[in-house]
């Protein structure tokens, strides 16, 4: 039986509100079950979990679960101190000696088995809870979750019943461990089909563990990726530092800025690795480290965009200053930093729950708008700079700027293409079933930024002729810039002697011509 679009939308919205990458220890502090269809539910967790490396979890004893070793190869979801609280009015509807005065069900299922949850009577709207009509058609029990057995494992989806007793306000769930023996995207819901339990709240926490630690499965490849990126930045730093030291007397302001960007990039990759490693060890994201890495990333992004913009304007090449544009460039930089910092702090730092799609859209839009504005400004300025260099016939600078423009063009095309692919990837995977390859979406942007930085380092590498990139008043109207850069280091006296020798040479030539003329006469 195919699920209705409404049911898919309900599950999608519920799953989207869960943390996919915040913490593997999910804490619930008076979380309220919301009204969805004919049920009240709370989307309590969703993570990609890799199956245990051992063929069976039979050796997973109580002590190993209570104090799990990071690399013990076991995967599980553990419930700790879970309690449900109902309103006083709901409790007073029942007598003190009632054996079961309310039912809450804990549902754990893999995204691939979502079709086994819920049912539809006579082709109508799909429901999570069993109704009187569905009880006749599906054979389910009225007032409980409709659950069909998975085709490959009749133990899944897992449903754990928690009952209220008498007129008590709370009910506690026994500490339970669910072993994961199949790789997949697992979802946890707390559900009640009893309308009397409206406003039900949940306290406690759940632990989600992968074979090598608490890091969610979709993030585990990123920890290794940041090691690779750190090594790449170290190699780039080593090559750049050698050139920087060899020709430090000829180093330009532009090359100082490139050095700062390399250092920031390397530091950011190192911090991302330690943030993920700590997350993997303790199961929660350390706020201090995450804030640091997000802030350094925002600074790096801002400085890299401002550097590319000022270079495109020809600062230090065809103009000595930015003039009246300085304040505008600085204002743009501050605005972009604040927008990027706010977006990533909201996205990476804080509670375990993801912000809603609408809230995230509000934060993403300013960042996208500013990026678009900066790109347009960069290419407009770059076009003018190329025209000025061509008019002045500055062949060396013109060639460098053409290569720079080509690199920027390729990076923009790659960014647009990847953005389209990212939209396609997310829109065609509403249940995050392709979570094992989702890390590539994040990794691409770091690779692209590093590749563009390498191109800039290649074009403006420190050398003995670095001064040929610099602005020089009165120069540039000839093709012989390289000759000028080589003779620029000579003293004015030396140049004067050369000119004096040329004058004497011309005078001597004139005298010889006059002498020959007189002889002819």
């Amino acid at each position: 039986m195919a699920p209705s679009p409404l049911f898919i939308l309900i599950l999608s919205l519920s799953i989207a509100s869960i943390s996919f990458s915040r913490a593997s220890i999910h804490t619930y502090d008076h979380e309220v079950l919301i009204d969805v269809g004919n049920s009240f539910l709370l989307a309590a967790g969703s993570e990609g979990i890799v199956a245990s490396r051992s063929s069976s979890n039979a050796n997973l004893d109580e002590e190993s679960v209570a104090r799990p070793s990071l690399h013990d190869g076991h995967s599980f979801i553990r419930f700790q101190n879970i309690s449900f609280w109902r309103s006083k009015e709901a409790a007073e509807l029942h007598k003190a000696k009632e054996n079961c005065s309310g039912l809450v069900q804990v549902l754990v299922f893999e995204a691939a088995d979502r079709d086994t949850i819920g049912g539809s009577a006579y082709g109508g709207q799909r429901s999570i809870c069993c109704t009187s009509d569905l009880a006749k058609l599906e054979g389910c029990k009225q007032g409980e979750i409709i659950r069909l057995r998975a085709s490959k494992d009749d133990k899944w989806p897992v449903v754990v019943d928690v009952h209220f007793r008498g007129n008590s306000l709370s009910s506690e769930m026994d500490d339970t461990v669910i072993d994961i023996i199949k790789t997949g995207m697992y979802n946890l819901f707390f559900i009640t089909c009893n309308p009397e339990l409206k406003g039900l709240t949940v306290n406690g926490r759940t632990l989600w563990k992968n074979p090598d630690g608490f890091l969610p499965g979709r993030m585990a490849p990123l920890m290794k990726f940041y090691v690779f990126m750190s090594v790449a930045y170290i190699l780039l730093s080593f090559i750049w530092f050698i050139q920087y030291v060899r020709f430090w007397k000829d180093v330009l302001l532009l090359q100082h800025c490139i050095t700062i960007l390399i250092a920031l990039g390397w530091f950011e990759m190192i911090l991302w690795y330690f943030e993920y490693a700590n997350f993997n060890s303790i199961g929660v994201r350390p706020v201090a480290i995450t804030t640091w890495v997000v802030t350094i990333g925002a600074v790096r992004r801002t400085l890299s965009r401002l550097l590319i913009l000022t270079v495109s304007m020809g600062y230090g090449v065809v103009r000595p200053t930015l003039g009246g544009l300085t304040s505008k460039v600085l204002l743009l930089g501050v605005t972009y930093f604040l927008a990027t910092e706010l977006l990533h702090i909201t996205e990476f730092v804080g509670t375990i729950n993801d912000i809603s799609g609408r809230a995230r859209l509000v934060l993403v839009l300013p960042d996208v708008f500013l990026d678009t504005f900066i790109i347009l400004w960069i290419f407009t300025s770059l076009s003018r700079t190329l025209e000025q260099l061509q008019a002045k016939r500055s062949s060396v600078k013109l060639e460098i700027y053409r290569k720079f423009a080509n690199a920027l063009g390729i990076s923009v095309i790659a960014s647009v293409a990847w953005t389209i692919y990212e939209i396609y990837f997310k829109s065609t995977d509403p249940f995050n079933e392709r979570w094992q390859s989702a890390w590539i979406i994040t990794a691409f942007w770091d690779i692209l930024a590093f590749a563009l930085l390498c191109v800039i380092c290649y074009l403006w590498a420190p050398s003995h002729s670095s001064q040929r990139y610099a602005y020089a008043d009165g120069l540039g109207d000839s093709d012989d810039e390289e000759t000028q850069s080589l003779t620029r280091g000579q003293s004015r006296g030396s140049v004067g002697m050369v000119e004096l020798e040329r004058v004497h040479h011309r005078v001597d030539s004139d005298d010889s011509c006059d002498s020959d003329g007189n002889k002819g006469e």
Side-chain angles (χ1 to χ4, degrees):
M1 183 186 301
S4 67
L6 177 60
F7 183 70
I8 292 177
L9 178 62
I10 290 173
L11 280 182
S12 298
L13 293 176
S14 300
I15 293 172
S17 66
I18 301 169
S19 167
F20 290 102
S21 57
R22 284 297 176 278
S24 286
I25 298 178
H26 297 262
T27 304
Y28 318 108
D29 185 12
H30 294 91
E31 303 291 339
V32 181
L33 275 66
I34 61 174
D35 187 0
V36 178
N38 66 342
S39 65
F40 298 94
L41 62 81
L42 173 67
S46 180
E47 286 187 16
I49 302 181
V50 178
S52 298
R53 282 196 288 267
S54 57
S55 58
S56 173
N57 279 338
N59 297 326
L60 188 62
D61 56 21
E62 186 175 337
E63 182 179 355
S64 63
V65 174
R67 295 182 180 179
S69 174
L70 285 183
H71 306 288
D72 59 7
H74 290 117
S75 300
F76 57 82
I77 301 174
R78 183 186 183 191
F79 297 83
Q80 288 185 329
N81 305 320
I82 298 293
S83 62
F84 301 95
W85 293 79
R86 60 182 172 181
S87 65
K88 186 176 181 181
E89 293 77 9
E92 290 176 348
L93 295 175
H94 301 275
K95 297 178 181 179
K97 295 184 178 180
E98 282 190 46
N99 187 36
C100 179
S101 58
L103 174 65
V104 182
Q105 294 182 292
V106 180
L107 172 66
V108 180
F109 66 96
E110 189 192 352
D113 296 331
R114 60 186 177 274
D115 293 344
T116 62
I117 306 298
S120 175
Y122 310 110
Q125 179 177 322
R126 192 171 178 84
S127 302
I128 297 176
C129 294
C130 184
T131 62
S132 57
D133 290 337
L134 286 169
K136 298 174 183 178
L137 296 173
E138 302 282 353
C140 56
K141 187 174 182 180
Q142 188 173 350
E144 296 186 2
I145 297 172
I146 302 172
R147 186 200 69 163
L148 304 177
R149 298 291 182 182
S151 58
K152 296 183 179 179
D153 189 346
D154 59 1
K155 295 181 180 180
W156 286 87
V158 175
V159 176
V160 180
D161 294 339
V162 181
H163 295 277
F164 282 92
R165 305 295 179 183
N167 57 5
S168 62
L169 292 175
S170 66
S171 178
E172 295 185 357
M173 176 183 177
D174 294 335
D175 287 357
T176 304
V177 177
I178 298 177
D179 302 328
I180 305 300
I181 58 175
K182 177 186 175 185
T183 299
M185 174 63 71
Y186 287 88
N187 303 282
L188 167 63
F189 288 85
F190 297 123
I191 302 175
T192 180
C193 299
N194 190 344
E196 294 178 359
L197 296 180
K198 182 178 181 180
L200 187 74
T201 60
V202 183
N203 292 332
R205 70 174 190 170
T206 54
L207 280 68
W208 305 57
K209 184 182 175 299
N210 271 285
D212 292 312
F214 292 106
L215 196 64
R218 71 191 299 267
M219 297 178 67
L222 284 174
M223 187 167 68
K224 298 177 182 179
F225 168 75
Y226 287 125
V227 172
F228 168 79
M229 289 301 300
S230 299
V231 172
Y233 270 99
I234 290 174
L235 293 176
L236 178 61
S237 302
F238 179 73
I239 297 172
W240 180 266
F241 183 72
I242 291 176
Q243 293 295 104
Y244 193 86
V245 171
R246 286 180 61 194
F247 307 104
W248 66 273
K249 291 184 179 180
D250 297 313
V251 171
L252 305 174
L253 177 61
L254 168 63
Q255 292 159 337
H256 288 307
C257 295
I258 294 174
T259 304
I260 294 174
L261 284 180
I262 295 174
L264 284 174
W266 174 76
F267 195 37
E268 182 186 7
M269 296 300 107
I270 288 290
L271 281 181
W272 271 123
Y273 169 75
F274 280 111
E275 198 264 353
Y276 277 47
N278 199 24
F279 184 12
N280 189 54
S281 300
I282 64 177
V284 294
R285 304 198 80 161
V287 174
I289 297 180
T290 308
T291 303
W292 264 104
V293 69
V294 164
T295 302
I296 290 174
V299 171
R300 179 187 62 80
R301 292 183 185 90
T302 303
L303 290 181
S304 62
R305 282 157 177 78
L306 294 185
L307 176 64
I308 293 174
L309 178 59
T310 53
V311 169
S312 300
M313 289 178 174
Y315 172 66
V317 177
V318 297
R319 58 196 305 175
T321 66
L322 294 179
L325 294 175
T326 302
S327 58
K328 296 180 180 178
V329 171
L330 292 177
L331 178 61
L332 177 63
V334 172
T335 305
Y336 184 83
F337 170 78
L338 292 176
T340 303
E341 179 79 352
L342 180 61
L343 172 64
H344 288 91
I345 280 183
T346 307
E347 189 171 0
F348 293 106
V349 182
T351 61
I352 66 170
N353 293 321
D354 276 339
I355 55 179
S356 66
R358 182 177 299 178
R360 190 178 188 283
L361 181 63
V362 171
L363 295 172
V364 166
L365 283 178
D367 202 63
V368 173
F369 172 78
L370 288 171
D371 258 331
T372 304
F373 179 77
I374 291 173
I375 290 172
L376 292 176
W377 197 357
I378 285 173
F379 279 96
T380 301
S381 302
L382 190 57
S383 177
R384 293 174 182 171
T385 302
L386 287 171
E387 290 177 358
Q388 293 177 9
L389 292 173
Q390 193 168 9
K392 293 182 178 181
R393 295 182 295 171
S394 303
S395 59
V396 175
K397 296 176 183 177
L398 182 61
E399 182 65 21
I400 291 175
Y401 265 79
R402 280 177 176 167
K403 293 178 180 178
F404 179 57
N406 292 336
L408 285 180
I410 293 173
S411 66
V412 169
I413 293 173
S415 298
V416 172
W418 193 257
T419 301
I420 294 173
Y421 172 74
E422 184 176 349
I423 294 172
Y424 166 79
F425 183 91
K426 293 181 178 179
S427 62
T428 57
D429 187 30
F431 300 103
N432 293 280
E433 293 178 272
R434 296 199 294 266
W435 57 274
Q436 289 176 293
S437 58
W439 67 275
I440 302 175
I441 300 294
T442 301
F444 172 82
W445 299 109
D446 290 317
I447 294 174
L448 182 64
F450 179 76
L452 186 58
L453 181 60
C454 288
V455 172
I456 293 174
C457 290
Y458 171 74
L459 293 177
W460 278 281
S463 64
H464 63 82
S465 57
S466 290
Q467 293 297 324
R468 65 182 177 177
Y469 312 135
Y471 172 81
D473 191 18
L475 295 177
D477 290 335
S478 72
D479 255 341
D480 201 13
E481 278 189 292
E482 291 171 272
T483 303
Q484 291 171 357
S485 66
L486 293 174
T487 60
R488 194 174 296 139
Q490 296 178 356
S491 65
R492 294 183 58 87
S494 299
V495 174
M497 290 299 295
V498 172
E499 295 296 329
L500 186 61
E501 288 178 2
R502 289 178 179 173
V503 170
H504 280 301
H505 178 70
R506 285 197 294 268
V507 170
D508 291 341
S509 299
D510 292 341
D511 290 342
S512 63
C513 291
D514 290 341
S515 299
D516 292 341
N518 291 333
K519 288 179 181 179
E521 291 178 354

